[in-house]
Amino acid sequence: MKTDWLPAAPLTINWAVTNKCNFKCGHCYSRADPFDELDPDVLHTCIERVARSGILSVNFGGGEPLLRKDLMDLAAHASQEGLRVSMNSNGYLIDTDNARELKKNGFSKIGISIDSHKPEVHDSFRGVRGSHERAVKAIYYLNEAGIETSISSVICKINHNDIDPLTDFAVHMRVKQLNVHNFKCSGLGYSNKDELDLTSDEWRQFYIRALEAKQKTKDIDISLDDPIIALLGAGKGDSMVKGSVCGKLSLNIKTNGDITPCGFIPIVIGNIVRDDLKDLWKNSPVLEKMRNKIPTGKCVQCSKFDDCLGGCTARAIALTGDMNNPDPHCWRNED
Amino acid sequence: MKIFRNPDVMWREEDEYKKQALDALEKDDEAADIGTSILYYDGRMLTLNILGTEVWKRCDGRTLDEMVSELIEVFDVSPQVLLKDAAAFLDEMKEKGLISCED
């Protein structure tokens, strides 16, 4: 795609429907967010507006989406409006019955958070004993119900050396994708970054191993959403957007309707209740700045800037306050 | 052979860019670099130019020959060139798993 080519609307919306959660994750980005939620009627109207904007899919998150009592109604409504509906869940509340209900109400894909093939490591990271076992069962129930599943893993100090066993585990669980998420220093992730985040060299080592695993694994797709992998020659080709996808393909909606470029960037560009989404998408100065990042510091002379566009914008903002600054995870030295 | 879009692929046309491409064709200008639709699958994105878009829209059980006989009314090229370009496009789509074929 040409860099100046911009679709008329986002392709997908990540939509936090509740910030309530039954877990105690030390990296949670939404724990500090306000807990006010839109009323069901308002939310239904917003879903209709999103669908009319041409958006193709919504991914419900939070918080734990299943703690929102009307989740099934929301999903059914979104599905009836023509949106492809998916969700990220910790899986703790999924059983045989509601797995079928999720299918019936339009969920086509559900990602379950599992950060380690070792139950004790996952349980400790998520703060709830038995959560690994429940997540494993959730995937089983969802597969049985005919919903496409994926495993989402947040890479940090607890698991960065375990990509191979994690991949084997994902294959064993018969999920379609292993979504490997880089650690973001947002919310509690910022407070706990010293214990959890990797050094830039550890990130380099991790991505070398992860790309090898992706190359050799044919049974599942390993998805690496970090623009920094462009430094290793990955992520090229006409099917991928360069740099962060936030603000180029997707937007985030918070529980109170506030719209941000992504869940990890706390810059509100509007509100879905009062603002026209396509107008925001086209005219927001924040999105315009994200789409046209100006290299600073070591990015100025870096031969890879055209591929990674400075890396993850959320990390640059969280740790330096300026989206144009180099991604703090970048391992390349000053030229 | 009937050709079908992969139902897992989400897609939409981009009206503004489609208008640009049609205007370019009208003036005999180059339109091949203008993305007029967008495909979204497994977190990946692909843009199609005007020919790709028109072929893609017809992947609903029509055969290649049927597509070409319709599209020859739209594009000012010889049937042979259109057949070759459309076949090459469909080969690429098949390789990416975005279409399937049935006898």
Side-chain angles (χ1 to χ4, degrees), chain A residues 5-6 8-10 54 239 249, chain B residues 7-8 10 12 14 17 35 40 45:
Chain A
W5 196 94
L6 181 70
S239 65
L249 300 182
Chain B
D8 291 338
M10 295 173 266
R12 73 171 183 231
E14 292 286 331
Y17 291 107
Y40 186 50
M45 190 203 74

Side-chain angles (χ1 to χ4, degrees), chain A residues 24-28 125-126 183 187-192 196:
Chain A
K24 301 166 191 163
C25 308
H27 65 292
C28 181
F125 186 56
R126 295 279 166 179
F183 181 82
L188 292 181
Y190 184 83
S191 309
N192 295 320
L196 293 171

Side-chain angles (χ1 to χ4, degrees), chain A residues 1-2 4-12 53-57 84 109 148 176-177 214 221-223 238-241 245 249 281-282, chain B residues 6-18 20 32-48 92 96:
Chain A
M1 184 173 90
K2 286 181 176 179
D4 58 353
W5 196 94
L6 181 70
L11 301 187
T12 189
S53 300
I55 286 151
L56 300 171
S57 64
R84 198 75 61 94
K109 184 175 179 179
E148 186 181 307
K176 187 173 180 190
Q177 259 184 339
K214 182 179 174 65
D221 177 33
I222 299 178
S223 168
D238 62 358
S239 65
M240 300 293 284
V241 168
V245 298
L249 300 182
W281 180 253
K282 197 171 175 183
Chain B
N6 180 336
D8 291 338
V9 179
M10 295 173 266
W11 64 283
R12 73 171 183 231
E13 285 192 275
E14 292 286 331
D15 294 339
E16 195 176 317
Y17 291 107
K18 183 179 178 180
Q20 278 181 28
D33 286 343
I34 303 172
T36 63
S37 67
I38 191 162
L39 274 53
Y40 186 50
Y41 58 102
D42 289 340
R44 295 182 176 86
M45 190 203 74
L46 188 64
T47 54
L48 305 181
E92 190 185 334
K96 291 179 189 290

Side-chain angles (χ1 to χ4, degrees), chain A residues 174-194:
Chain A
R174 294 170 46 221
V175 296
K176 187 173 180 190
Q177 259 184 339
L178 173 60
N179 295 311
V180 174
H181 299 294
N182 61 85
F183 181 82
K184 307 281 198 320
C185 301
S186 302
L188 292 181
Y190 184 83
S191 309
N192 295 320
K193 65 181 167 37
D194 294 340

